[in-house]
Each structure stands twice: as C-alpha cells, then as structure tokens.
Amino acid sequence: MKKVFSFLLLILVFTNLNAQVVNDGQLLKSDFWIYQDLETLSLESKEVLFWDTTPVSVGEIKFYLKQLDYEKLSQNGKDLYNKVYDYLYTTSYIGGKNLQSQGIEKDSSTRFSVGIDFNPEVYFRTNKDIQSSVQYYYENWPLSAPIKFGVSDYVCLELDFFLGKNYYSSTSADSFTNIPLSGGDIEYEFPRFAYGSFGKTYEDWGYNFTIGKEGFSIGNTTLGSIIYNSTFETDAYSVASVYSPKFKYNLIFSQVTHKSFLYLHNFNVKILPNLKFSIT
C-alpha cells in the first residue's frame, strides 16, 4: 500500500512540475488555454495583441500582458489576469547549477523539468461499419513525459516523449481505446512535439528564434488556421521574430510535407489600440 501511495505521490509531483513554466524561453503550445484567456483580456481592455503565429514564448506573453491596463478590467477580468499572471511567473524545475564561474550572467542557471501526463481513453461504437471518428492527430496520448531543459531565461529545449497508438491502429474499426494493446499498435515516431527556443525581452521590444517540430500555427480565427494546419505530421519549422508594442515581424521557414516547404513573411502593425493590420 505504501508503494502505491508513493507512486501516486510521485506522479502528482511530476504532473505539478509540468503544469508550471521553466523560464521565459519556454514555448506554450498553440492549443494551450492561456491564449484564449489572453484573447478575452484583450477584448475587454480593447487592446489588440500579437499572436497570429503560435506557439509563443513565455517571455513574449509576459511582454504582452504588461500592455494591458489592470485597473480598467472588471473584477472577472482581474481574476482572469491574476490567473494568467500566476501561471507565467511561477517557475518550477528540478535541480539548478549556477554558471557564474563559467562567465555567464550572475542569475544564470540550468533548469530541468520532467512532467508525467496520464490520459487513458475508452471508445464505444454501436456499429463497427461506421468509420472511426477518432482523430489520430488530435487524440491524447495515454502516457506522455514532457522534458524541458532551460538555461537562464533565454534558452529552452523541450521534447515530448509519449506512449501511444500509431495511425493505423488508432483509425482501425476495432479500436476502442487510445492505449496500445500490442507491439504492433505502438507509435515509434517520437517525439512528435519538440523545439529549441532562444530569445530575450527588453522593456520596449524583444526577439525570439525557434526551431521546432509540429504544433506551429498561423492565423487566429474562430475556425482555426486556414493558412497553415497545425496537424501536419511531417513538419519542421523555424521562426525568427521581432516584436514591440506597435509592431511584430515573423520570418518563417516551414516543412509541410517531405517535399513541400513554405517560406513566409508575417507582418503585424497596431494602427489603433483596438485595431491592427496583419498580412502573411
């Protein structure tokens, strides 16, 4: 009984670590809850912000959060602001090594974080002749372990290792769970989501450079991205960004398929506090 309790406690600790940020260089996935909350705050404060391309670094999101006038928000808005603020400014990591002796800034340190996520699922269909509605690209893995490594507030690396089913077993008419039940069901192409991010935010501007695999999205619409689909399985991408309160520019190079690539420029200009112009 004690072993079971210790195991559950260990899972809780790692899950809690994964729920917090490592440093300002960490990217937040395109479907992360914080973007919707920031959009709500942006609408209430009548202050447009720039995240037409995601994922965005924690440092850049902090920069945008500072553009919002806290005192002008309603009580619900302030509660939402506090929720976002608490998440962004609460860091967690395992271990830390001071690098001052190696000539790096005084506040520099290496930071390492491991999370464990459990998402087992069971499906039921009354008729196996009906094509499976389970989406391989959107399904949750039953077990995943995001690993993050950061250096000070400027560099972050993340790999999302997982145990899950491959495309063929996921879409099979006999599939009733996302848990692989045999060796032939296991997806061996992992990590699916990975990146290296480097950047820094100053008082009135910032920059970021990212090389990543999967999860990149262009467009912030009700129907999702109509330019670049975040479910591209084979994609690798790099993004160089420069941003300020009035302007943001992205230089994007992305792999769509094994033989197809996109080279894009993305411009965002704030014309008025509640009006911006974007072009890709």
Side-chain angles (χ1 to χ4, degrees):
M1 185 65 182
K2 290 183 178 180
K3 292 182 177 180
V4 174
F5 178 77
S6 299
F7 177 70
L8 294 176
L9 181 61
L10 183 64
I11 291 175
L12 180 62
V13 170
F14 278 111
T15 301
N16 183 59
L17 285 174
N18 186 45
Q20 297 173 342
V21 301
V22 172
N23 63 11
D24 283 0
Q26 179 181 332
L27 302 185
L28 302 181
K29 290 185 177 182
S30 298
D31 59 352
F32 198 59
W33 60 264
I34 204 166
Y35 296 111
Q36 183 59 53
D37 286 357
L38 285 170
E39 184 68 20
T40 302
L41 291 172
S42 174
L43 291 172
E44 180 174 334
S45 62
K46 296 181 174 60
E47 187 77 33
V48 294
L49 305 174
F50 302 133
W51 50 71
D52 289 347
T53 61
T54 54
V56 176
S57 71
V58 169
E60 185 174 346
I61 294 176
K62 287 180 178 179
F63 180 82
Y64 294 143
L65 192 65
K66 293 177 181 178
Q67 310 303 315
L68 304 178
D69 191 337
Y70 180 82
E71 297 304 325
K72 290 184 178 180
L73 296 174
S74 65
Q75 186 57 51
N76 288 337
K78 290 179 179 179
D79 292 341
L80 193 60
Y81 185 103
N82 292 335
K83 172 188 172 185
V84 173
Y85 183 94
D86 290 343
Y87 175 81
L88 294 175
Y89 287 91
T90 302
T91 58
S92 67
Y93 50 89
I94 301 172
K97 179 182 178 182
N98 194 309
L99 301 181
Q100 187 178 2
S101 61
Q102 300 182 27
I104 300 179
E105 294 179 7
K106 184 177 180 180
D107 62 348
S108 297
S109 62
T110 55
R111 303 169 184 180
F112 180 74
S113 174
V114 180
I116 297 178
D117 292 332
F118 283 100
N119 293 288
E121 297 177 353
V122 177
Y123 319 121
F124 175 75
R125 280 183 294 166
T126 57
N127 188 343
K128 290 187 177 181
D129 293 331
I130 300 175
Q131 186 177 1
S132 174
S133 61
V134 176
Q135 295 293 324
Y136 165 76
Y137 300 106
Y138 292 107
E139 71 173 337
N140 292 319
W141 307 115
L143 174 63
S144 60
I147 299 174
K148 306 181 186 76
F149 176 78
V151 178
S152 187
D153 268 340
Y154 313 128
V155 178
C156 186
L157 306 175
E158 181 175 352
L159 302 172
D160 195 358
F161 293 98
F162 65 87
L163 173 66
K165 298 176 72 172
N166 57 41
Y167 175 83
Y168 300 101
S169 59
S170 295
T171 57
S172 170
D174 297 323
S175 178
F176 64 91
T177 178
N178 66 341
I179 302 172
L181 302 178
S182 67
D185 291 345
I186 297 176
E187 173 63 87
Y188 292 101
E189 294 186 4
F190 60 83
R192 291 277 297 277
F193 176 78
Y195 67 83
S197 170
F198 169 77
K200 184 174 176 60
T201 300
Y202 299 94
E203 187 66 27
D204 55 359
W205 73 285
Y207 67 87
N208 182 268
F209 178 73
T210 298
I211 297 177
K213 180 181 184 296
E214 284 215 8
F216 182 66
S217 180
I218 302 174
N220 182 18
T221 66
T222 303
L223 298 177
S225 176
I226 60 175
I227 303 173
Y228 187 97
N229 194 325
S230 61
T231 64
F232 290 153
E233 184 183 5
T234 59
D235 79 300
Y237 68 92
S238 64
V239 181
S241 303
V242 178
Y243 52 90
S244 73
K246 302 293 185 181
F247 173 83
K248 181 176 181 180
Y249 167 71
N250 295 303
L251 174 62
I252 304 162
F253 182 78
S254 179
Q255 176 191 12
V256 180
T257 69
H258 290 294
K259 298 181 180 180
S260 301
F261 298 86
L262 288 175
Y263 181 71
L264 303 169
H265 299 273
N266 175 255
F267 297 89
N268 293 269
V269 179
K270 184 185 293 185
I271 301 172
L272 297 172
N274 60 348
L275 177 65
K276 70 177 179 178
F277 173 77
S278 301
I279 185 172
T280 299

